[in-house]
Each structure stands twice: as structure tokens, then as C-alpha cells.
Amino acid sequence: MSDIEVLAHHACFDGSLRFVRHQSEALGVPATFGVFLPKEALAGQKVPVIHLLAGLTATQETFLIKANALRFAAEHGIALVAPDTSPRHTGIKGEDDAYDLGSGAGFYIDATSAPWSSHYRMETYVGEELPALTERLYPLNGTRRGIMGHSMGGMGALIQALKYPDRWKTVSAFAPICHPSTVPWGQKAFDAYFGGDPAKWQSCDPTLLLRSGHTHPSTILVDQGLMDQYLADLCPDALEAAAKEGKQALELRRHTTYDHSYWFVQSFIADHLTHHAKGLFA
């Protein structure tokens, strides 16, 4: 396999949607991502870009197919980049045994405990390797880069923005896992990926990051459905309280009739693209 392989190429909204595989240094295995280039980028103009992080069990296709984000990205002249949600086919025993650990469940963190630490380094991949690669391959403006996520991906977007505010000019999330160190999803993953060391959880918990003084210079936009079947495990109230305590600008919008699905994401994706466009073009 060559270092860069285009797996699929589709015309979409006068732009181009591509799925690309490459050999990842951070992950140590081939990785796949999706990229949408608006017509401005096809004409050679450097455009702003938003990275899209999907949730548990999803792939590089999920957010791009289900969220209806491409329509609004095209209207704003913004590119989109969507990574897979974990490394794949690493040979680690048990990586395909559960939906919430291993394949499809990288949690966008860098594992520090064997055997996961040899490949599960999604924090570095999303924050460093993928932006550098896509900005080398395509006309993307790395100084106008935003990040957005859903569920586990919303957690990942918040982690990236709070830990590395210089990398991301804008940030938003749909139904993020806000306080993973206190709920079963996060505790299971953190226990495995960090080898049972709770001291390492703080750096991967958005609520704890806010409490420890991490902030982002922009307003964080979060949408949460109150009919979400996972609401008790998402802890939006904890994020809101930590943001208030840490003086982080946060717009947390609660919606009474919406659940956790991409039907919810579709309903408010236009607002999120507008939120990012305002910041990225400022």
C-alpha cells in the first residue's frame, strides 16, 4: 500500500468528498479519514476546516453521512475532516470484544498502559498527525481550524479544545460525555487505557480540565437532548457548573424532546456550522 490511498471520491454540493487511507505514525497501523473540500478549496483557495469526531461504534463515514453537515459546510466555504474513532486491526487481544472498549472506542485519548499504548493514541492522531497531514495534502488553513464532536466525540472535541486551545479556534459538541471519570463508560475505558491509574483521568475529563483551570478563548457551544437515553451518563450539569466556576464561556442548550441520535444532530447542525463560521472567519 502506498502511503496515501484514495478509497472513494464523490462530488457533493459542488465540492468533493473523499475517503483516504494512510499509514499512521501515531497509531502504528493504517488509518482512514474522510475529507470534504468545498468548491473554494477545489479552486485552490485555502479554506477554514472543522474536524468532526464521531461517537462509540462509529467510523470515519458516520458523521459525514448522518449529520447533514456537508450542506452547510459548503454554504460557508468550510472544509470538513473526519477521522475514524479508533485504530483498527492492531492485533491487540480483546479489541473487538466490546462496543465501548477497543475498536470503535478510542475515546480520543493516548493510552499509557500496555497493550493499548502501542496503538491507541487517538489524542496525538487527532490533534497533531491528522491536521498536519490534511493541511499538507489539501488547501486547508491551519490557523482557522475548529473541532466538533458527538457523544464520545463531543468529549474528544472538548478535551482537544481545553488542553490545546492554540490548535483549535472554535469548538462545539452534541451530547458530549462531560464527566467520564464518574460514569461507567469512562471508568471502563480509563481503567484499561491508563492501567487503573486514576491520576491520569483528570487530563481526559472535560469537567476536571475546567476545574483545574483549562479554558478555551472562544464560547463553547453544546447541545443536549433531554430525552437522551444516556443523559445520566453524560453529566451536562457538571460541565456547566465547572465552566461557571472556571469562567469559561459556555452556551449549553437543552432541548426537551430530543434524544441521542443523529436525528438530534441534524436538527441543530446548521447552528453549529454558523457558530464555527463566525469564529473561523473572524
Side-chain angles (χ1 to χ4, degrees):
M1 185 186 76
S2 62
D3 287 343
I4 305 294
E5 180 183 6
V6 178
L7 302 176
H9 183 196
H10 310 279
C12 192
F13 297 111
D14 295 324
S16 174
L17 174 63
R18 306 170 189 187
F19 292 98
V20 180
R21 182 164 56 205
H22 71 108
Q23 181 64 37
S24 168
E25 292 185 9
L27 307 180
V29 291
T32 307
F33 65 88
V35 56
F36 171 70
L37 303 172
K39 62 183 179 181
E40 292 86 353
L42 299 183
Q45 177 182 333
K46 273 200 169 186
V47 298
V49 57
I50 303 170
H51 287 242
L52 309 177
L53 307 185
L56 287 165
T57 75
T59 71
Q60 68 281 350
E61 294 183 332
T62 309
F63 212 118
L64 293 168
I65 291 174
K66 292 186 174 183
N68 198 26
L70 279 69
R71 176 185 299 274
F72 302 106
E75 290 178 2
H76 289 292
I78 293 174
L80 303 173
V81 171
D84 201 348
T85 53
S86 76
R88 303 279 177 174
H89 311 297
T90 66
I92 294 174
K93 184 179 180 180
E95 72 173 337
D96 297 319
D97 290 354
Y99 84 97
D100 55 355
L101 184 69
S103 296
F107 278 85
Y108 303 104
I109 64 172
D110 283 355
T112 59
S113 178
W116 305 102
S117 56
S118 58
H119 296 289
Y120 278 69
R121 304 183 66 245
M122 290 297 291
E123 185 174 324
T124 295
Y125 179 72
V126 166
E128 298 178 24
E129 183 177 3
L130 188 58
L133 175 64
T134 51
E135 288 159 25
R136 175 170 62 84
L137 293 176
Y138 310 110
L140 309 180
N141 187 339
T143 66
R144 299 182 183 275
R145 187 193 302 146
I147 192 163
M148 178 196 307
H150 172 235
S151 193
M152 177 185 73
M155 169 190 148
L158 293 174
I159 290 171
Q160 282 285 333
L162 292 172
K163 289 180 72 171
Y164 312 106
D166 55 321
R167 294 179 183 171
W168 312 101
K169 196 171 182 182
T170 54
V171 57
S172 71
F174 293 91
I177 304 173
C178 297
H179 202 2
S181 62
T182 64
V183 299
W185 274 338
Q187 291 170 346
K188 178 179 180 178
F190 289 177
D191 188 55
Y193 295 149
F194 297 139
D197 183 358
K200 295 178 180 176
W201 294 11
Q202 178 166 317
S203 67
C204 297
D205 183 316
T207 294
L208 295 182
L209 285 169
L210 284 167
R211 288 179 184 169
S212 63
H214 291 268
T215 59
H216 193 272
S218 77
T219 297
I220 299 173
L221 174 62
V222 174
D223 277 302
Q224 176 63 60
L226 297 184
M227 294 295 289
D228 192 316
Q229 58 269 46
Y230 304 112
L231 184 58
D233 291 327
L234 299 177
C235 306
D237 294 349
L239 184 77
E240 187 174 51
K244 184 176 181 180
E245 178 185 329
K247 296 181 171 55
Q248 168 65 56
L250 169 68
E251 184 178 2
L252 174 54
R253 309 191 305 184
R254 296 173 173 87
H255 307 277
T256 56
T257 60
Y258 288 89
D259 60 20
H260 196 72
S261 70
Y262 272 91
W263 303 117
F264 159 61
V265 175
Q266 282 193 29
S267 300
F268 302 101
I269 192 68
D271 293 349
H272 282 243
L273 266 295
T274 297
H275 167 81
H276 285 272
K278 287 179 179 178
L280 296 177
F281 285 106

